[in-house]
Amino acid sequence: MSDKPKIKVLVVDDEQDIVDLLKYNLEKEGYEVATANDGIKAVKVAAKFIPDVILLDIMMPHQDGVETCRQIREIPETKKAFVIFLTARSEEYSEVAAFDVGADDYITKPIKPRALMSRISALFRRESKKEQENVQVRIKDLIIDKTSYTIDKNGKILTLPKKEFELLYFLAKNPNMVFSRDELLQNIWGADVFVLARTVDVHIRKVREKIGEDYITTVKGVGYKFD
């Protein structure tokens, strides 16, 4: 029997049938599973359970999934957890809002368990590749540290949500190279995740608000680069 700890998954949905289905399939694959039926409870469970992956419904009573994700990302122990949104909604604003608060993937119901397992595995494979990279980038007056997910700007420590950080880290690691929105989507969110190009623009805007306007340049009609 392997001594390797089980990957911990928190399933959050107000539909008990979906919770039971996902819990059964995840446990069958060897995951350790905790559950919650609303957003407020999910934040409390996440703080104690410290999941590696969170499957999170958007439309829930008491507190929706977007706000729940934002609160979970503020817990130091769970800020690096993978968050996959589960939703029956297909409106563009839901998707943008989900990625805006740090979602890693977005799956529309009805959920196919085997496809979900594949998406979870893909997230861990992509993360494993990233861990092999140099963990610190020093450029201009910034020290961008992948280990702590922090940015040191002239001695001041800044923290960014997961995807904003990864976007900045990727651009800074490749200075003066122009990347299209599609290239950034593939490198940051992965080829297996369907994300709107507008999501990149939103994240670039938020990064600029936090570190300043002088680092990332918009190349009109092409994409973005770190000067």
Side-chain angles (χ1 to χ4, degrees):
M1 189 173 181
S2 174
D3 292 330
K4 185 178 180 181
K6 290 184 177 182
I7 293 172
K8 299 165 76 172
V9 182
L10 172 59
V11 179
V12 187
D13 200 298
D14 62 322
E15 296 182 53
Q16 191 60 44
D17 288 348
I18 292 177
V19 171
D20 292 342
L21 172 69
L22 295 179
K23 186 174 188 292
Y24 170 78
N25 282 276
L26 287 161
E27 288 180 339
K28 190 168 70 171
E29 293 295 320
Y31 295 101
E32 182 180 349
V33 182
T35 65
N37 293 109
D38 65 67
I40 295 173
K41 183 180 178 183
V43 176
K44 295 178 181 177
V45 173
K48 293 181 180 179
F49 184 59
I50 315 298
D52 303 294
V53 181
I54 302 166
L55 307 179
L56 183 58
D57 187 28
I58 284 192
M59 292 298 293
M60 294 185 294
H62 311 306
Q63 181 169 285
D64 67 26
V66 172
E67 175 60 21
T68 300
C69 180
R70 187 190 65 76
Q71 292 182 20
I72 287 174
R73 286 292 190 218
E74 291 179 350
I75 302 170
E77 294 82 4
T78 58
K79 69 181 298 182
K80 295 184 183 179
F82 294 118
V83 177
I84 301 176
F85 273 99
L86 312 174
T87 179
R89 303 177 68 179
S90 58
E91 293 92 342
E92 177 182 327
Y93 78 87
S94 295
E95 181 179 335
V96 172
F99 286 113
D100 196 29
V101 292
D104 294 282
D105 204 346
Y106 186 100
I107 298 177
T108 303
K109 297 176 182 177
I111 300 158
K112 298 176 182 177
R114 289 183 65 182
L116 175 60
M117 303 304 161
S118 177
R119 299 282 273 269
I120 292 173
S121 296
L123 287 173
F124 279 100
R125 284 196 303 272
R126 195 165 75 242
E127 188 69 14
S128 178
K129 288 182 180 179
K130 289 179 181 178
E131 286 175 355
Q132 296 171 18
E133 302 170 349
N134 293 329
V135 295
Q136 197 175 83
V137 175
R138 294 171 178 259
I139 188 165
K140 300 180 82 167
D141 56 353
L142 302 177
I143 302 173
I144 306 169
D145 193 314
K146 187 72 179 291
T147 303
S148 60
Y149 269 66
T150 58
I151 299 153
D152 183 323
K153 182 180 180 183
N154 292 324
K156 181 181 179 182
I157 302 300
L158 308 173
T159 58
L160 274 64
K162 185 177 180 181
K163 289 303 176 188
E164 291 175 27
F165 178 92
E166 291 179 351
L167 182 58
L168 173 62
Y169 180 85
F170 177 79
L171 288 170
K173 194 177 63 173
N174 299 281
N176 299 314
M177 291 181 63
V178 182
F179 293 94
S180 68
R181 289 172 178 81
D182 287 342
E183 288 172 326
L184 292 172
L185 287 172
Q186 183 164 344
N187 280 281
I188 307 305
W189 283 268
D192 298 322
V193 182
F194 176 75
V195 189
L196 296 169
R198 180 185 164 197
T199 300
V200 173
D201 300 332
V202 171
H203 280 66
I204 291 287
R205 174 174 56 79
K206 288 185 172 292
V207 170
R208 285 170 169 163
E209 287 173 357
K210 291 162 186 170
I211 69 168
E213 300 284 339
D214 301 328
Y215 301 92
I216 300 173
T217 299
T218 302
V219 180
K220 192 172 181 180
V222 183
Y224 298 100
K225 69 174 181 175
F226 191 104
D227 284 325

